[in-house]
Amino acid sequence: MHFTIKRLKMINSRISVGLLLGIALLTTISCQPEKKKRSLNFPKTDLSSENMIPKPLKVIATEGGFALDRYTAIRTATTETGFVDVGIFLAEKINLKTGLDVPVNKGVSADEEGVIYIDRADSLELNAPEAYTLTITADSVLLSSNTAAGAFRGAQTLRQIISETSNDTLAAYKVWTIPTGKIIDGPNFEYRGAMLDVARHFFSVADVKKYIDLLAYYKYNVLHLHLSDDQGWRIEIKSWPKLTEIGGSTEVGGEAGGFYTQNDFKDLVTYAAKHHITIVPEIDMPGHTNAASVSYPILNGNGKTPQLYEGTHVGFSTFDTRKDTVYAFIDDVVREITAISPGPYFHIGGDESHVTKKNDYIYFVEKVEKIVQKHGKKMIGWDEIGQADIDSTSTAQFWNSKEYADRAVKKGMKIIMSPAKKTYMDMQYDTLSKYGLHWAAYIPVDTAYVWTPEEYEGIPMANILGIEAPLWSETISTIDELEYLAFPRAIGYSELSWTPKENRDWEGYKVRLANQAPFLDRMDVKYYPSPLIDWKKSKYSYEEIKKD
Ligand code: TNX
């Protein structure tokens, strides 16, 4: 069960051809090569049994391995935007995993052996957005895509199939293997999102960046930030400064809260874009607006004097939907946020406006839709917006009401699937969970994975834009707690949104998930070690390599 890599290495590129020949002759005669000879045993590799998540569309394994080592180089398309960046990103991640310094687009050195090519190509296989192919032989890895986004997704696959350990006990230098074969891949849904509530508890730029790192590894392409709620306003609005001065000053439980300056937010947007992730900003209204109304009481429509709120009860606040100032305010907020949000969407919230009269609510959503469109964005709102007369370019996020989601479908709107019973990562895993709520359900790791968003509650597949897993933060305030609720469930949602249902099954997924442990440990992710999963710490243990 072995394959052997035997290659002759050149030691010095500058020696003359004559000298080289001489050395070669001497080497042959003495049978004692001065040059490095790669003769390495490694356990047999099989691309089709690799632990990729999300599972690719098609995997064709061939027997063999590509040796990733200090002689490997990365070469990318240089005239197409974004491909060089994918090469640099991949080199950085290879360095983190292996310690190797893989050169990107450097001149060919005599030492160079295996090459990872990242190229732009057109083909039928690469027709879909974000599609890519990976063709791996013993000599080269070819990552092809029509777009830099596709190449970036393929780079994540490549990261996942680099062996966890090297052969360091057997050879003079370290070699990691990548199994040979071909992968043809592309996403089932165009919108693959996670939502983070930074309003109930504030999370720092560094925390959000770490979350982005993890989401990118599993091919997410959207991070929705819930930037305002009753308990806090978390983004600087220069024309309404008290929003953050007052509204950002606290959070659930009475801690200090916090907010992103516009520069912080731009930094996040840029960081996400580098990971081919779009940030969807949400300002939740007309309900969930207590923090805004405390900052500017003129906005308030619930008839009470607003006070800073540190509890978790919902549904008591509303904007005054019949006041012009409210719409002037919203125009400023949407203008300032869209100016620093290059993505196509603006999320207006719209959920649980229990103290807004129904007519006022509908009037409000229709007016705000126009404001969002005026600023060049498409509106997203929680499923309640399906009650309003809005257009088919707007999207409803199905979290609770099939009736409202159906009404949105009738208008030709797209739906983002976030049913609380299945996708709410703030739901506890079980009765013993340290954090989380359970008003919608307990969601153990299997329940999170074993359902079919393509067929959920009769929403037609043609209307489904994708899936999003929300993480509300009433019960969590640190990155460790965030990770406990999000991982491993977020990994499963990535597969539900990328991989078509024919290719998904719990038994297979369970094993692949178990094998995420080395990555999660390396990233210092405090995931919930669900007892349903037989977590593997390392794929090739030191002992196994020695045996072979
Ligand atoms: C419902 S989901 C909410 C949030 C809460 C969440 C807690 C939705 C649109 N509204 O305000 O944080 O439940 O699970």
Side-chain angles (χ1 to χ4, degrees), residues 11-86:
I11 287 173
N12 191 337
S13 63
R14 291 192 197 96
I15 36 185
S16 72
V17 175
L19 193 59
L20 253 172
L21 282 174
I23 292 172
L25 198 64
L26 264 173
T27 305
T28 321
I29 292 165
S30 66
C31 284
Q32 195 59 273
E34 215 182 320
K35 288 163 255 176
K36 201 173 308 304
K37 195 172 188 181
R38 293 164 79 188
S39 176
L40 307 165
N41 290 327
F42 218 80
K44 185 183 172 186
T45 59
D46 176 3
L47 188 58
S48 58
S49 66
E50 281 294 316
N51 296 297
M52 292 171 267
I53 300 180
K55 191 175 183 176
L57 263 189
K58 211 182 266 181
V59 178
I60 305 147
T62 54
E63 197 168 297
F66 172 91
L68 175 67
D69 58 24
R70 65 196 206 199
Y71 303 109
T72 306
I74 294 177
R75 302 196 174 283
T76 76
T78 49
T79 51
E80 313 285 342
T81 20
F83 282 73
V84 177
D85 294 337
V86 174

Side-chain angles (χ1 to χ4, degrees), residues 196-198 201-215 223 225 251 260 268 271 429 434-435 471 473 475-488 520 523-528:
L196 180 62
D197 172 8
V198 295
H201 281 103
F202 182 66
F203 290 88
S204 68
V205 168
D207 289 345
V208 178
K209 285 184 176 174
K210 184 176 180 196
Y211 199 32
I212 290 173
D213 290 340
L214 298 166
L215 295 172
L223 174 62
L225 291 176
E251 60 184 12
Y260 305 123
L268 280 177
Y271 192 80
Y429 292 95
K434 285 192 270 178
Y435 313 104
L471 181 51
S473 61
T475 66
I476 54 169
S477 61
T478 67
I479 182 80
D480 288 359
E481 293 163 4
L482 180 164
E483 288 167 0
Y484 173 90
L485 286 177
F487 294 95
L520 296 172
M523 296 290 289
D524 193 24
V525 174
K526 304 288 190 308
Y527 63 95
Y528 164 62

Side-chain angles (χ1 to χ4, degrees), residues 197 200 229 288 314 351-352 382 399 424 426-427 437 439 472 474:
D197 172 8
R200 270 54 177 274
D229 213 302
H288 291 270
V314 294
D351 59 312
E352 299 174 317
W382 297 104
W399 69 281
Y424 268 30
D426 64 315
M427 291 300 114
L437 306 168
W439 64 264
W472 302 99
E474 287 93 335

